[in-house]
Amino acid sequence: MANRPQIRTAASALIAMIADEDTVVGFLLAGVGNVDLRRKTNYLIVDSKTTIKQIEDAFKEFTSREDIAIVLISQYVANRIRFLVDSHNKPIPAILEIPSKDHPYDPAQDSVLSRVKNLVSVESVASDRR
Amino acid sequence: MMEDQEEKGNAENGIGRQKQVKDEYLLQFLDSLDGYLTLLDSLSSTLSQGWLELASARHAMGASRINGALLDLKVHAAATSLKVSEQDVDSMESQPCFTLCKWASSDNGERSSGEEKSLSPQLRHRNNSQLSEEKVSTRTGTPLILVDQQQRQKSLSVFGVLVSPKLRSAQLSFERALETLVEIANLHTTMLSMFEQVHKELENTNG
């Protein structure tokens, strides 16, 4: 019990979003938008002018904030900062890759599924049976 | 001779129990993986519906009335948030459990209870002159919690007083998408936790 990792519990945590305009607007309609006293929002709208650095900075900020429990990121945006997304291994915030209007969800590119695929791949099962 | 046979029996029982535990972890991992993929598929459908409804609302109301520039940048708290609690996996490990709290009404910055959902709801409607309420019950029998319709309307009012019915439909679609996402988040943590367990067991077997 002494070495049990601590889970950060919260009564009221936020959902952050890094996605295209329509996805962000939609989720803001559902009430997840938050603007704090420093005028910091819990979302970043990604368009053609958004740089990789801006996306990286937003991802790093959202994953380091104590009040954010889930980060939603469009999969095509996650692909642009794949190294950063794959290197996140904390349970909170949970990083969920979601489809976007123009880019459907591809399980092969999902960070979590890539991590676990070796356990269920045909090759690994076949090699154990030899 | 008898002692040797007894020791051999105990060893076999121990191996059998170990195998049972490994199989259990593997089954839980595969179940959560299956649930994860199924829910992602469902999420894609729900989001597609939401985007279509948003596009219809934009067509009806005009592109200038529904865009990112209108988003409320005044200081405000999220009306829909998450409750994060700790769930025991075993004596050595725990994992986070997410529960969605929808439309919690905030009064003078203090939060009061909103609608909590971690499973699919069944809705009943009741007439009320000031607040229209939705009573929600879950399959696990958690207590009924009121939803503040005014918060929902406030969220829509960013785009004007009179909004297209399609915008209201889009709001409901994205609310459903949020519920699915919270379920996905819970399966996501379970899947990773079970993956670690199975991986550990495999390493112990091979090592």
Side-chain angles (χ1 to χ4, degrees):
Chain A
M1 291 288 279
N3 294 329
R4 198 163 147 169
Q6 288 292 317
I7 299 292
R8 197 177 76 216
T9 57
S12 179
L14 301 173
I15 299 173
M17 294 158 286
I18 304 174
D20 57 275
E21 185 178 88
D22 276 5
T23 306
V24 170
V25 165
F27 282 121
L28 292 187
L29 275 174
V32 299
N34 187 85
V35 181
D36 65 13
L37 292 169
R38 292 171 301 162
R39 300 294 171 109
K40 290 232 175 224
T41 61
N42 60 330
Y43 57 87
L44 172 72
I45 295 178
V46 177
D47 56 23
S48 53
K49 295 178 193 148
T50 312
T51 62
I52 291 183
K53 182 151 188 338
Q54 283 174 305
I55 300 170
E56 283 179 350
D57 288 346
F59 185 83
K60 285 177 191 168
E61 187 205 325
F62 294 155
T63 50
S64 59
R65 275 171 65 167
E66 299 263 315
D67 58 347
I68 289 175
I70 292 178
V71 177
L72 304 179
I73 181 167
S74 294
Q75 193 173 56
Y76 83 98
V77 176
N79 286 339
R80 293 173 73 184
I81 57 165
R82 182 49 68 192
F83 180 74
L84 208 55
V85 172
D86 284 354
S87 62
H88 176 86
N89 53 13
K90 290 186 275 183
I92 296 177
I95 311 298
L96 302 182
E97 294 181 32
I98 59 174
S100 65
K101 248 184 358 180
D102 305 319
H103 301 87
Y105 175 77
D106 180 4
Q109 294 176 34
D110 190 302
S111 173
V112 167
L113 293 180
S114 305
R115 221 187 295 176
V116 304
K117 73 176 179 183
N118 289 335
L119 201 63
V120 293
S121 71
V122 173
E123 279 177 20
S124 68
V125 168
S127 67
D128 286 337
R129 283 180 180 168
R130 276 187 225 121
Chain B
M1 181 83 165
M2 288 288 288
E3 281 172 3
D4 286 343
Q5 280 180 349
E6 202 176 306
E7 272 176 21
K8 194 178 174 187
N10 285 341
E12 279 173 0
N13 282 342
I15 290 168
R17 270 196 296 276
Q18 264 186 341
K19 190 176 183 304
Q20 207 174 353
V21 166
K22 277 186 216 174
D23 288 345
E24 198 182 305
Y25 283 145
L26 188 59
L27 274 171
Q28 283 183 28
F29 166 72
L30 291 172
D31 279 343
S32 55
L33 179 62
D34 182 56
Y36 185 80
L37 290 170
T38 305
L39 282 174
L40 275 166
D41 202 40
S42 166
L43 175 73
S44 293
S45 303
T46 309
L47 284 176
S48 295
Q49 191 178 348
W51 289 320
L52 187 62
E53 283 157 350
L54 204 55
S56 300
R58 192 177 274 127
H59 178 74
M61 292 167 62
S64 59
R65 284 192 62 192
I66 301 181
N67 60 61
L70 297 170
L71 295 176
D72 189 2
L73 289 176
K74 287 182 291 192
V75 176
H76 68 275
T80 296
S81 61
L82 292 169
K83 189 170 121 184
V84 185
S85 51
E86 198 172 342
Q87 190 179 53
D88 290 333
V89 175
D90 56 32
S91 60
M92 288 298 289
E93 243 185 273
S94 58
Q95 67 186 40
C97 177
F98 304 99
T99 309
L100 187 66
C101 301
K102 283 170 61 174
W103 304 116
S105 60
S106 54
D107 192 8
N108 296 328
E110 291 173 6
R111 287 208 163 278
S112 59
S113 63
E115 175 190 338
E116 285 190 14
K117 282 187 185 181
S118 57
L119 292 172
S120 308
Q122 289 171 347
L123 297 172
R124 286 185 286 132
H125 295 275
R126 190 176 84 180
N127 288 331
N128 185 304
S129 57
Q130 289 190 342
L131 283 174
S132 95
E133 299 162 346
E134 288 172 344
K135 284 202 165 182
V136 177
S137 64
T138 68
R139 276 186 234 125
T140 58
T142 49
L144 299 176
I145 296 174
L146 298 176
V147 175
D148 188 351
Q149 194 65 18
Q150 286 181 346
Q151 286 289 325
R152 202 175 252 137
Q153 186 55 40
K154 193 175 162 187
S155 192
L156 282 171
S157 66
V158 168
F159 302 102
V161 175
L162 290 173
V163 296
S164 162
K166 284 293 180 185
L167 195 64
R168 294 180 195 276
S169 305
Q171 184 180 50
L172 291 174
S173 294
F174 278 96
E175 280 184 44
R176 275 199 305 277
L178 268 182
E179 289 162 21
T180 308
L181 277 163
V182 171
E183 289 185 62
I184 289 173
N186 285 324
L187 276 175
H188 172 276
T189 51
T190 304
M191 189 170 64
L192 285 176
S193 172
M194 289 301 117
F195 170 71
E196 292 298 322
Q197 296 286 349
V198 172
H199 203 247
K200 221 187 296 180
E201 294 293 332
L202 280 174
E203 278 181 349
N204 288 342
T205 309
N206 293 336

